[in-house]
């Protein structure tokens, strides 16, 4: 854990994870699905639990770096709520790894990922970037193959992907101590 203090208005929490899965691995599609359900999409578990239900974050999200096999969770929080926010992120990951996943979460994630794939044609630069990433990693699939790989992910696949994710580093940037506060 690394804690630093600077002149900021809100704390910045970043948690680094090792996924053990890269784009070269067959498990990347389940990991991509897990990331969407966990914190990568607007209906994600982190958004609903940490931000909406507990009111602990101004923003919260997760993102995969698929070539290196890492995932980052970022959140803007009130520094006084650091411990609770960290606990809820960890608990959300544990719950998904334990298979505590709702059918509607699977459906919403599947729909969002399918929509994202379809939208690649709308942004040539994103389409090229996605293709180059897959080319570098030896995973050039057709649209149909990508679609089938992502939309065919099951709850068991998502839980297994989540179980591979291991916390590596917790970084917290918080406000300076101010006189009278």
């Amino acid at each position: 854990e690394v804690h630093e203090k600077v002149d900021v208005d809100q704390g910045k929490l970043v948690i680094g994870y090792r996924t053990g899965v890269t784009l070269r691995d067959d498990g990347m599609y389940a990991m991509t699905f897990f990331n969407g359900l966990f914190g990568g999409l607007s209906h994600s578990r982190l958004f609903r639990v940490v931000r909406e239900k507990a009111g602990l974050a101004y923003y919260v999200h997760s993102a995969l770096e698929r070539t290196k096999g890492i995932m980052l969770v970022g959140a803007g929080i009130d520094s006084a709520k650091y411990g609770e926010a960290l606990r809820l992120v960890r608990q959300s990951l544990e719950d998904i790894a334990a298979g505590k996943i709702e059918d509607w979460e699977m459906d919403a994630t599947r729909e969002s990922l399918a929509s994202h794939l379809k939208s690649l044609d709308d942004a040539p630069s994103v389409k090229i970037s996605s293709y180059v990433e897959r080319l570098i990693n030896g995973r050039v699939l057709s649209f149909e193959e990508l679609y089938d790989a992502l939309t065919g992910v099951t709850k068991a696949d998502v839980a297994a992907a989540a179980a591979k994710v291991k916390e590596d580093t917790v970084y917290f940037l918080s406000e300076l101590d101010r006189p009278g506060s």
Side-chain angles (χ1 to χ4, degrees):
E1 287 193 31
V2 178
H3 294 249
E4 292 185 283
K5 292 185 178 206
V6 296
D7 191 17
V8 294
D9 291 329
Q10 67 179 242
K12 311 286 190 246
L13 172 62
V14 179
I15 308 168
Y17 296 91
R18 298 197 183 271
T19 67
V21 178
T22 69
L23 192 53
R24 294 181 180 272
D25 302 314
D26 289 335
M28 180 45 71
Y29 302 107
M31 188 63 69
T32 299
F33 200 103
F34 157 72
N35 178 65
L37 191 147
F38 180 57
L41 296 169
S42 60
H43 65 273
S44 73
R45 183 78 58 99
L46 292 181
F47 185 84
R48 289 181 297 106
V49 171
V50 179
R51 184 177 188 279
E52 296 298 308
K53 184 176 178 186
L56 295 175
Y58 303 103
Y59 68 86
V60 61
H61 61 83
S62 65
L64 286 176
E65 203 308 322
R66 300 179 327 158
T67 299
K68 294 180 181 179
I70 61 174
M71 180 179 71
L72 296 174
V73 168
I77 62 172
D78 177 338
S79 293
K81 298 177 181 178
Y82 165 79
E84 182 66 7
L86 183 58
R87 184 189 70 74
L88 284 177
V89 170
R90 287 173 171 161
Q91 185 64 56
S92 295
L93 176 59
E94 289 173 20
D95 287 349
I96 295 170
K100 297 177 183 174
I101 304 166
E102 301 291 330
D103 289 339
W104 74 264
E105 290 177 299
M106 292 294 294
D107 294 341
T109 302
R110 191 171 286 109
E111 286 177 30
S112 292
L113 291 173
S115 177
H116 172 74
L117 280 176
K118 290 175 186 170
S119 73
L120 289 178
D121 281 334
D122 298 336
S125 63
V126 174
K127 187 175 187 176
I128 292 167
S129 166
S130 174
Y131 176 78
V132 169
E133 179 189 41
R134 288 181 280 121
L135 182 65
I136 289 169
N137 288 284
R139 279 285 174 170
V140 179
L141 302 177
S142 69
F143 173 82
E144 292 76 19
E145 290 169 320
L146 276 172
Y147 180 86
D148 290 345
L150 284 171
T151 59
V153 171
T154 66
K155 280 186 191 182
D157 296 333
V158 173
K164 291 178 183 177
V165 174
K166 303 299 178 213
E167 187 177 293
D168 181 84
T169 304
V170 176
Y171 176 81
F172 186 55
L173 183 67
S174 63
E175 301 94 352
L176 293 171
D177 295 325
R178 294 190 172 93
S181 59

